[in-house]
Amino acid sequence: MNSSKSVEALFQPFKFGNTMLSNRVVMAPMTRQFSPNGIPGSDVASYYRRRAENGVGLIVTEGTVINHPDSSNQANVPHFYGESALQGWANVVNQVHEAGGRIIPQIWHMGARGNVNDYAESEIVAIVEAFAQAAAEAKRLGFDGIELHGAHGYLIDQFFWEKTNTRTDRYGGDMVKRTRFATEVIEACRRAVGPEFPIVLRFSQWKSSDYAAKLAKTPAELERFLAPLIEAGVDVFHCSTRRFWEPEFEGSDLNLAGWTKKLTGKPTITVGSVGLDGEFMSLFTEGKGAGNAKIDGLIERLEREEFDLVAVGRALLVDPAWAKKIRDGRTDELVPFTSEAIKTLY
C-alpha cells in the first residue's frame, strides 16, 4: 500500500466527552469469542493493550452482552455483568489506559430469540434496565464512554426494521415509532451515566440477512429516524457500512456517516473495509483475503469534515501496529488481511 496523500487529518486530536482522543483512528468492534464462559482474561487485556500501544485513538470493544437470559446464544462472547467478567473488563480498562489509550465497551443484546414481536412489555422494561445497568458498570469501571449496538439485525435493530418489528403496541408502527425501544434504552443509559459520559450508537441500514436493506430510503427519512435518537441522548453515531466509499443515496457522494453528520450536526464515525482492497465478506464466502488499499479517498473525505472518526476493523485485527505504520509512512510493512492471518486473531 502506498499513499501519496498526507495522513495528517487522521492524526488530529478529537474531543470525546471530557477526554481528548489523540487521533481519529478507532478500533472497530469485532466479535472474537475468546472469553470462556463470558469472562475476558488477561489475553483479552493484552489484545486491546497492543492496539493502544500502537497509536489507536479510541478502542471500541467487541460486543459484550447484557444481563438478560436471551442476550446471547454463544458461550464465549464476553459478558458485561457478573463479578468475574467485570473484573476482567476492569483489567482491560487499566491496561489500555496505562498504554495511553481510550476505550469504550460495545453493549449488546443479540436478540437471540430472533423475534421482537414475542417480547411482553414487562420483559422489554427489564431489558432496558439491563442496558442501563451495563452503562453504569462501564462508568464505574473507568471506561471512557459506551457504544450501544443498534446495527446488523441484532435486538435494537430488530425493533428499528419494519421486516422484523410488526408490533401493534407502543413499540411498533411507523419508522419513528419503531425507534421507541432504542430511545428508552438510550434514555435509561443517560440517566445511569449522567450528562457528560459519551453515548455512541452504532446503526446500519444493512442487515446480516439482507445487505440491501434500508431503514431510510431518502435523506428526509434518515433525518426523521435520527431525530428521536438524538433527543434521547446520543452523542456520536457510528454509521456501519460495508464499504465506506459507497454513496448512501443517489445524487450525492456522501456515505452514511456523511449524511448523518450533515443532517444532525452530531459527530460521526465512518467504517467499512478501511485499508482493505477487497470487501471483507468475500474472505468468508469465497475464501479470499484482502491486500492493503490506498486511503487517499478516505483522507480527502475526512479533510472535508464529512465525518469525524474512522473505524478500522480487519486491517487492525491482523496488524496491531496499523495506525502507527500509517502515521509513520511505513505502509510497506503493513500486514495483509488473509485467511491465514485471521486465524491468529491476536
Side-chain angles (χ1 to χ4, degrees):
M1 170 184 160
N2 292 305
S3 180
S4 59
K5 191 170 184 64
S6 169
V7 296
E8 182 179 353
L10 198 56
F11 293 92
Q12 295 299 307
F14 183 77
K15 193 173 190 306
F16 185 75
N18 285 330
T19 192
M20 188 68 72
L21 306 181
S22 61
N23 59 57
R24 308 302 180 94
V25 179
V26 176
M27 181 177 182
M30 290 173 283
T31 296
R32 299 165 66 240
Q33 299 192 55
F34 278 11
S35 297
N37 300 312
I39 300 170
S42 59
D43 59 326
V44 175
S46 297
Y47 165 79
Y48 288 116
R49 181 182 179 121
R50 278 194 290 274
R51 276 75 187 171
E53 288 174 335
N54 281 284
V56 172
L58 176 66
I59 292 169
V60 184
T61 73
E62 61 210 282
T64 69
V65 295
I66 63 172
N67 187 13
H68 181 258
D70 199 33
S71 65
S72 174
N73 55 12
Q74 298 173 2
N76 297 325
V77 165
H79 296 168
F80 210 77
Y81 62 90
E83 184 177 357
S84 296
L86 292 174
Q87 285 179 348
W89 284 118
N91 184 39
V92 171
V93 172
N94 291 337
Q95 290 288 324
V96 168
H97 284 172
E98 190 176 280
R102 297 288 181 263
I103 184 168
I104 63 176
Q106 186 186 71
I107 299 176
W108 193 21
H109 189 301
M110 295 171 64
R113 185 183 302 175
N115 190 343
V116 300
N117 302 312
D118 293 340
Y119 287 110
E121 286 199 31
S122 60
E123 189 170 15
I124 291 174
V125 171
I127 294 171
V128 169
E129 178 53 37
F131 271 104
Q133 182 59 42
E137 296 288 11
K139 186 175 183 181
R140 181 181 68 82
L141 295 175
F143 279 93
D144 299 292
I146 60 168
E147 174 170 289
L148 298 171
H149 195 343
H152 307 164
Y154 296 112
L155 185 67
I156 292 175
D157 196 24
Q158 288 171 3
F159 276 90
F160 284 153
W161 197 26
E162 61 184 351
K163 289 190 178 180
T164 46
N165 181 357
T166 58
R167 299 178 69 104
T168 57
D169 61 4
R170 62 195 179 117
Y171 294 102
D174 64 21
M175 180 176 63
V176 172
K177 291 178 179 177
R178 293 195 304 273
T179 68
R180 178 157 191 150
F181 173 69
T183 61
E184 290 188 1
V185 168
I186 296 160
E187 289 167 350
C189 289
R190 177 57 71 203
R191 290 192 295 270
V193 300
E196 303 299 324
F197 197 70
I199 295 178
V200 181
L201 176 69
R202 194 177 215 211
F203 79 101
S204 67
Q205 297 262 49
W206 68 274
K207 321 299 167 199
S208 56
S209 61
D210 184 354
Y211 293 140
K214 293 276 190 184
L215 292 174
K217 297 177 176 62
T218 66
E221 286 187 358
L222 182 62
E223 188 171 24
R224 288 197 298 274
F225 169 75
L226 295 170
L229 304 174
I230 295 169
E231 186 177 354
V234 172
D235 297 301
V236 179
F237 287 99
H238 188 173
C239 308
S240 181
T241 55
R242 296 169 69 215
R243 308 173 183 93
F244 77 85
W245 57 87
E246 291 187 344
E248 192 58 36
F249 303 113
E250 289 186 9
S252 168
D253 290 336
L254 291 177
N255 67 8
L256 185 60
W259 271 111
T260 299
K261 183 177 182 180
K262 179 178 180 177
L263 294 169
T264 68
K266 290 290 186 180
T268 59
I269 306 171
T270 196
V271 69
S273 302
V274 174
L276 302 181
D277 65 6
E279 191 273 314
F280 71 81
M281 286 306 294
S282 66
L283 174 75
F284 305 103
T285 59
E286 301 170 25
K288 295 180 180 178
N292 299 305
K294 285 188 177 183
I295 59 170
D296 287 2
L298 178 77
I299 300 297
E300 289 169 0
R301 289 168 180 257
L302 188 59
E303 287 177 341
R304 292 197 296 265
E305 299 183 350
E306 291 183 12
F307 38 74
D308 302 277
L309 298 163
V310 176
V312 183
R314 284 143 186 87
L316 194 54
L317 180 69
V318 298
D319 193 344
W322 186 90
K324 184 178 287 187
K325 290 175 183 178
I326 291 290
R327 184 195 66 195
D328 296 342
R330 296 186 288 126
T331 54
D332 57 333
E333 299 177 22
L334 291 168
V335 178
F337 179 71
T338 66
S339 55
E340 286 302 312
I342 201 174
K343 289 176 182 177
T344 62
L345 293 178
Y346 61 88

